Amino acid sequence: MQQRLLSWLAITLTVLASAWARSSAGDKVLVVSDAKLEAAEYSQFWDGLKNRGYELTFRKTSEEAPATSSFDVPSFSHIIVFAPSTKTYPADISPQSLVHLLSDPTQPTNILFVLQPSTPSSPLRDLGREFGISFPPPATPLIDYFNAVSPSNATSLLLTPPVTPHTPGFNGGDVLYSGVAHLRSNNPLLVDFLNAPPTSFSADPLEPADVIVEVAASGGEGFWAGGRMGLVTGFEVLRGGGRATWVGSLDLFRNAATAINGKPTANNAYALALASWTFQETSVLRIDSVEHRRISESSPRDQYRIKDDLIYRIHVSAYNPATGEWEPTSQIDDMQLEFTMLDPHIRTALSPVQGEKGWYETKFRAPDRHGVFKFIVDWRRKRYTALHSSTTVSVVPFRHNEYPRFLSSAWPYYLGALSTSAAFVLFCALWLLGGNEEEKKKTQ
Amino acid sequence: MTILKLPTFAPSTLTNAASLIRILALAFIAGAAISSRLFAVINFESIIHEFDPWFNYRATRVLASQGFTEFWNWFDPTAWYPLGRVVGGTIYPGLMATSGVIYNILHALHLPVDIRNVCVLLAPGFSGLTAWATYMLTKELKDESAGLLAAIFIGIAPGYISRSVAGSYDNEAIAIFLLMITFYIWIRALKDGSVLYGTLAAVFYFYMVAAWGGYAFITNMIPLHAFVLLLMGRFSHRLYSAYSAWYAVGTLASMQVPFVGFQPVLTSEHMAALGVFGLLQLVAFVETIRNLLASKQFQLMLRWFLIAAGVAGGLIIVGLTVTKTIAPWTGRFYSLWDTGYAKKYIPIIASVSEHQPTAWPAFFMDLHMLIFLFPAGVVLCFKELREEHVFVIIYSVMASYFAGVMVRLMLTLTPVVCMTAAIALSSLLDTYLNVDEPANPDANGVKETATSGAETPVDGTISKKKKKGVAAAAAAAAVTPSIATKAKGRSSAENGIFGIDTRILVIGNAIFMLVMFVLHCTWVTSTAYSSPSVVLASRRPDGSQNIIDDFREAYYWLRQNTPQDSVVMSWWDYGYQIAGMADRPTLVDNNTWNNTHIATVGKAMSSPEEISYPILRKHDVDYILVIFGGLIGYSGDDVNKFLWMVRIAQGVWPDEIKESNYFTPRGEYKVDDQASEAMKNSLMYKMSYYRFNDLFSGAPAFDRVRNQQMPKEGPKLDYIEEAFTSENWIVRIYKVKKEDPLGRDLKTAHAFDGGKRRKPSKPISRRKALAA
Amino acid sequence: MRLLYGVLLLVASLSAAVAQVTHAELVRLAAANNGVIKLNPVLYDALTAPNRQWSAAIQFTALSPQFKCSPCSDFNPSFKSVAKAWSKVHSAERDQHFFATLDFLEGQDVFKRLGLSSAPVLQFFPALEGPSVRPNPQRLEFSYDFSRHGFDAEELAKDLSNHTPIPIPYTAPFNWQPWFFGFTFLVLSLVAGRFAWIYLREIISNRWLWAAATVGLTLVMTSGYMFVQIRGMPYAQHNSMIAGGFQNQFGIEVNLVAALYGLLGASYLALILLVPRIPSPIRQRASVYLWTGILFVLFSILISFFRIKNGGYPFKLLL
Amino acid sequence: MTSWMQVKVKGLTGSLEVEPLGQNAESLAYVYAINLAKPLPKGEYLTILVDTIQLHASYPKPAYASQTDSHFRVYEADGLLLSPYETTSQRLRFKAPTPSIRSYHISHTLEDLAKEEPVVKSGATVTFGPFKSQPPTATKGFNRTPYRVSVDFEMNIPSLTVVSLNRSVEVSHWGANMNTQDDYMLRNDAPELKGQFSRLDFQMAQHARRMSPVIISAVTLQLPSGAQNPYYFDLVGNVSTSAFRPAAKPSSERAARLGPQNAQLDLKPRYPLMGGWNYTFTVGWDAPLGDSAHWDEKNGRWILAVPFMTPLPSTPVDKAEVRVILPEGATDITVHPPFDVSLMERSTHITYLDTIGRPAFTFHAENLTEVHDGLIYITYKVPLAAHLQKPLAVGIASLIVFSVMWTLKRVDMTIHK
């Protein structure tokens, strides 16, 4: 365990040391692609990443090295699965091990999946399904006659992705997209970045009409069409904040796509923006510390009493890619604290503290119920790192000497007790005194 | 005339010698009582037994380490997670307080005895005191010799040993002593109507209340006694003062125990005492009036007034009960009368093995010859019907009924059986050791007592305890002649026993019986009642003893290699042991106060994985512990208790859990191929038999408890994983997995890791989407 | 002739029923018969129509004596009383739920259809349409679980109340009979006692009667009577009088063991009380030997008896 | 970390005295001074052997291993010796427990320094260097990181650690007995168990004699020869699985000359110790006092020799606390621990029927190995009065009790007859 911890520490240290690395997770990127793929055609994308301070390592799917991890310690911070079409992968980039790398709770490896223009290879299809993403049948790219670049080829479309704070560097503009669409399940971990236009559908580009016909026959069953379909979809794993992004189009990254018949497109900027979200540059948050105590006291306890007045504080900071540093943030305005035993007994808002940047706090009174409670903060917003913190304390009842001593309602009892004992004393006294006299009488 | 010239002593020497012998005999008896309870320590080790004692032991440690006030305010967050338990207010602290005091005294004397040993040896120590108390009480009933016999009986009677062997550190350990001493002092108070003794009885009654829930027995026995005496027209001011003193002080004192609180004035169990108290006041009042003025009509009027007042009082109590101002009988108490009640409404109580009714072999096992000396003794009590005899008669009736209803109440029966049996036997000995003879004298009677004296050691040289036992009996016998002569000196004229052979025959037979009794007790104690169910012992083929220590193995693993705060779920039987030995939070334990919580565990155990998983996560369960005896044939395992889990769960969720689903269509309880689906999918079944087949490497697995052949295909687990299994597979611990990082259900995730493909999903058409 | 008659009857009933059975009709039938609709196959179909707007609790029973269905006759009254209680409800709710009974004689084919092999069965049919459809019914069509609730009317009302529009206002009818008889008996006995007091007091204050009662009680209790009672053990089984197993016994063993204990105790008493009073040495000596012998023999019998129960018991006497 | 250091001159017996000077301010190196017996004349030379023992110098790789995996560790060290002097030639030889060495690595800068072949592996031995001459390295500017070497080797012996050892030795002259009781806290430093423990696989491996040496299912303690009636328990009571083999009587005088053999105590933990698992237990035994204490006639003192610890084979002890309890009333006491312990304190211990309590000495020490298995020598006097103290106290106490009882029995407290 120590060794593991140390290595992890070491890596973070290196990250911080190399201040020009933009990612909060590290700067080593492995690009996995087919042998026949021309890396030069995507040089702008690579250069963009390099300028950001990433060091890229290229690897063909046919090769064994460099391995994604050695002895369960991941050797890269990010992986770009760049449109491989092979049926079989080496063991260390098999779907299982990719998921394993991505979902490592302490040191996740972010993955950017770029899919073949027409048909993603079958292992990737299966992998997508695990994420809750399903693809149309093979060789059915996305077709849209309304957003097509030219009526001649309806498979390459001009789309305008929304501008969000999560994709910095992309400030609007058209993006050339030609590739497959996919369908998202209702998995809450999925994040939609770019949806297909409502007029689009996926079909065999040679005779697209057939699909319409048979679908019409089957009453719309299995019709891959409309704005529900996704083109670019992000994913953040439940624990550890690892991120993955599925991009349906390889051309999005192509140099050629940066300008379409003279007019420049925003492809490169968009691609890099996607990469920056995937590689945990943007909208990365973390909980630094958590405090809880009685309002009257200064240090925390592991036992509180029922009806205690408690204060709970939490410190959140966000990663700033520009400086590569963690900065306290007070931007979150909808964070909640739950004081839970089986069910939340108290749910209250955590409001930022004026003057103390990054601190959020709330004051409340412990419920009149003893037991083992948990302070739970569970803040999940799409595209942001999920914040989760759970602290266990036990709430105990009054001690025996903490109850009120004298009750006004108990006066009858007090009086009764006093009078009885007084009478007893009196009786004893009289009896003792009188006893002798009787004896005297007897003796006489 | 006599068959034997007794050497004549001065009466003072005689009494001194007798008292000396008595003291020696009592000492020996105490020794015998204690040593016969040490089998457990000798065969195994100085260890706390069974289940509840582990909690008492844990509580005592807290008491000894943190002092009484801390113990008083002790809130235990690890029990009944996450509800916690206010221990200070939910226990009878008498036991812990007792051993705490002993512990502190020893340490003050610079005798650093381990608290564990104090707890282990507490029960035997108090059994010695019990013998003494019984002696005193029986002495009040008949005489010293009967007292000695009663003492030796209670000392080694299995019925009492079963709950007081070394290591069974439970409330009963001290409660029986308190029972006897309270009764003794009550009788004394009644005999010489002393307020002092009445108060003393109240003090011991308070101790009893603080020590055992069974105090209700005293609370109803003494009023019943008083009431019966009233009916028999034996009202006296002795009765009045004794009872009033006892009731007033005792009730006030008992209300100081937090767990009892205001029950003495609010619950039906205690109403009898209150009612009799009131009745006595009335009667006393009436008596005084009558003594003062003696007009016939007035007295008649008084009597009617008395009756009317009594009836009115009774009606008031009934009314209060109906209007729920007075709580009705608690379930445990009520189930004593309405025997079907528990099984129907409180299955948890019914599920406990020691709450089952008693078959006759248990009686003979626990009491041997006493069981048929008992009625004889009762008849003799009727012969001279003094107040204390009335008491014993009521006691015997009550206790024998309770013992018949519940096995564990054999405990309350044993003392009265011992006393009455002692009365019977000692009167036999009195009659046949009396050297006076009614008619024509017989010369050579000298060798009679010689032989009878000689016989005793000869018979008594089987084992140490027995020797002590018989020695005591002989001592009793030896004491009797002196008293006998004194007692029967006058009556010897008209009736008595002729000849020596008759005497030898009867005495010999009696002694033979005693020897049988001692043998029986020794055998029963050593075989039946001396195993700490924590450690199991089995015999190897070569006959040597093989210790099976799986429980402690697993518990200790939990203690050493899991995080301090990881919650362990198990069936409630093991809650106290886990808390005591593994020192981990538990969901439910043997203090079964929260039916719903237990039912939750039952549901989790008897539901399929995917239904149990949310329950487990909600209760932060990290580990699940099950007991599985299928490999070595340990029959007390969880699969055999499973039906109770189902029943208790069904009580709360009748629509989700159905007992009938766990039986085969033919109504059998099976775990093999024919096992019902609900059974096969239940978490309990899966955890018990997970990878059980692999152990047999190809050959079909065989469950040695159910004697059934397991199915070829063993169960699979998706939501939990095996964490630890003890050497003989008795204890199996499973770890609850965390949610899947990709948000899948764990079944799919598991399948994916196994390399299975999922079938692709297709988009549903809009129209359908709207419909759905 | 009779057969023809029967046929005619059947036809008649059919023709009567073919006229569409309306909700009002059902209400009328229910009202006619204390809230219980006597069903025939046609009515049954009408009541359990797939478009029913009401719920129904139907008792399938076989009351006619030739079936000797004692549980049926046990359950029928409680069913009736619950239905009667329901008929007291305000009509708005009352007509949303019906109690009906179908006897095997009338509806054999219905029994066949439902595959009912045993009676009584109480089937609950929830409403499927209309206002009184439960949003998410706890249980859909289910059959009342006798094994759990028994034949008790209160239990039935309690369980059904979860499904009827409003809880059934059932209160157990106060049974005056025993109270009345008890009271009269008390009064009579008091009067009688008053007159016979002189003799009665003798009896009551006779300690040996009480002694006999006490001893008898203790003997019975200590020989496992309560066990037999609570566990409902049979008196004896044809092949064996003694139940195997340590924690088990039959009714007859109570008598045997109690007798043994009693005799043993009695012989002790004899040795203690009677023998010394015998004046003549010879007779006394004889009786001493006799009683001691009895004692010894009975005891060895007892032990051998115990050995049957507990095989591992090492000690034995004569046999 | 350095646990022990011994310096010898080659060819001479007896070690030189070493005094630690602590950490140097600017070079951050720990400096030790070695005083030669006699100053070394100019031009002559002298070979000095320095032995040290390093604890926890290697770490497991991978950090997690399954139940059946074999166990590899990595040893990393500086390729160059830190020294304030110029080094003309040096070589680093590494001897692994087994010849199966997965890999070894030497940094490039170090490779360049090598005279010939930088690394040679022969059998279980890996030799780095010899390297060219070096300027003094224990200096401010020197950066060690480029000179690291590492070896990744298989470990086929269990790597246990005693996290803490509490020994208490109680001397009783009345019983002529010395009772020793050790509380061990044991940790298996093998790679942590990956996933969960499966009893089935374990039993299979056991059955097929294929158990990984990393798993510890039994430990053997070497007790002193006179040891008798030992006990072995833990927090939940006695552990029945232990075997005691008392010391065999020396058969021949040759055996006798070899000195008394040890009694052996085989301890089987309740559960097999997987990698990363802990186990705490307590063992104790009695030994005749004569074996370890003897009466010094000429200045009338007892001389007591107490072994500081009973080492487990190749198992370091991170923290040890030894407590010696002398008989009640022992006076002018002198104590000589076998090595300089980090802390020694005197206290009084009160046990069975003591009146004033017994003098007790507690020694604290860290990072111990077999070499620290030395004797603590304690000399003290016990006056006769001290011997008689206990029986007298008990006698008087009981006398008082009886007399009180006697008086109470004869005081009449009734109010009036």
Side-chain angles (χ1 to χ4, degrees), chain B residues 6 95 123 211 367 406 433 486 493 530 570 610 619 633 704 732:
Chain B
L6 282 174
L95 183 69
L367 297 166
M406 250 192 215
L433 282 173
K486 278 200 248 75
S530 294
S570 74
E610 53 273 20
H619 292 77
R704 287 177 56 188
R732 308 199 66 181

Side-chain angles (χ1 to χ4, degrees), chain B residues 463-644:
Chain B
S463 93
K464 267 173 107 201
K465 292 162 206 61
K466 289 177 217 108
K467 193 188 285 174
K468 282 184 191 153
V470 177
V479 177
T480 37
S482 54
I483 306 121
T485 38
K486 278 200 248 75
K488 302 214 167 204
R490 281 162 267 87
S491 66
S492 67
E494 56 273 15
N495 56 32
I497 301 300
F498 296 92
I500 300 172
D501 51 349
T502 51
R503 288 182 164 78
I504 294 178
L505 182 66
V506 175
I507 302 296
N509 186 19
I511 289 172
F512 172 75
M513 286 278 184
L514 283 172
V515 173
M516 286 293 286
F517 175 64
V518 171
L519 288 174
H520 172 89
C521 293
T522 323
W523 179 79
V524 170
T525 312
S526 59
T527 53
Y529 291 146
S530 294
S531 80
S533 56
V534 179
V535 186
L536 310 172
S538 75
R539 295 244 165 261
R540 292 210 192 78
D542 61 355
S544 62
Q545 194 184 40
N546 173 28
I547 299 278
I548 296 174
D549 212 348
D550 282 34
F551 289 98
R552 283 193 291 176
E553 176 188 356
Y555 293 146
Y556 206 57
W557 179 83
L558 272 174
R559 187 186 192 121
Q560 296 274 324
N561 297 312
T562 60
Q564 179 74 32
D565 57 353
S566 49
V567 179
V568 182
M569 179 176 100
S570 74
W571 190 233
W572 60 265
D573 299 22
Y574 312 103
Y576 278 160
Q577 288 187 348
I578 294 173
M581 289 192 255
D583 187 23
R584 291 289 175 271
T586 55
L587 250 61
V588 294
D589 60 30
N590 311 49
N591 154 273
T592 57
W593 63 275
N594 186 330
N595 188 10
T596 324
H597 218 55
I598 291 182
T600 313
V601 174
K603 185 184 176 187
M605 292 287 196
S606 46
S607 306
E609 270 184 286
E610 53 273 20
I611 296 179
S612 310
Y613 185 68
I615 303 175
L616 299 177
R617 293 299 295 169
K618 184 178 180 190
H619 292 77
D620 308 333
V621 175
D622 299 298
Y623 294 92
I624 314 175
L625 181 145
V626 293
I627 306 298
F628 171 66
L631 181 59
I632 63 161
Y634 170 62
S635 61
D637 68 350
D638 277 348
V639 180
N640 278 3
K641 293 175 185 167
F642 188 41
L643 278 182
W644 282 110

Side-chain angles (χ1 to χ4, degrees), chain D residues 233-253:
Chain D
F233 63 87
D234 55 24
L235 293 173
V236 295
N238 175 40
V239 187
S240 51
T241 53
S242 64
F244 178 62
R245 282 180 268 123
K249 291 272 156 288
S251 49
S252 64
E253 66 283 346

Side-chain angles (χ1 to χ4, degrees), chain B residues 369-382 420-421 424, chain C residues 211 214-216 218-219 222 261-262 264-266 269:
Chain B
M369 66 184 267
L370 309 182
I371 197 64
F372 56 77
L373 281 173
F374 173 43
V378 171
V379 172
L380 289 178
C381 285
F382 269 101
T420 44
Chain C
T214 316
V215 169
T218 50
L219 283 178
T222 50
Y261 288 168
L264 281 159
L269 281 175

Side-chain angles (χ1 to χ4, degrees), chain D residues 347-369:
Chain D
S347 57
T348 30
H349 176 79
I350 297 187
T351 174
Y352 289 93
L353 296 175
D354 286 351
T355 41
I356 58 169
R358 318 180 165 199
F361 289 84
T362 318
F363 309 87
H364 302 264
E366 289 78 27
N367 309 324
L368 308 181
T369 55

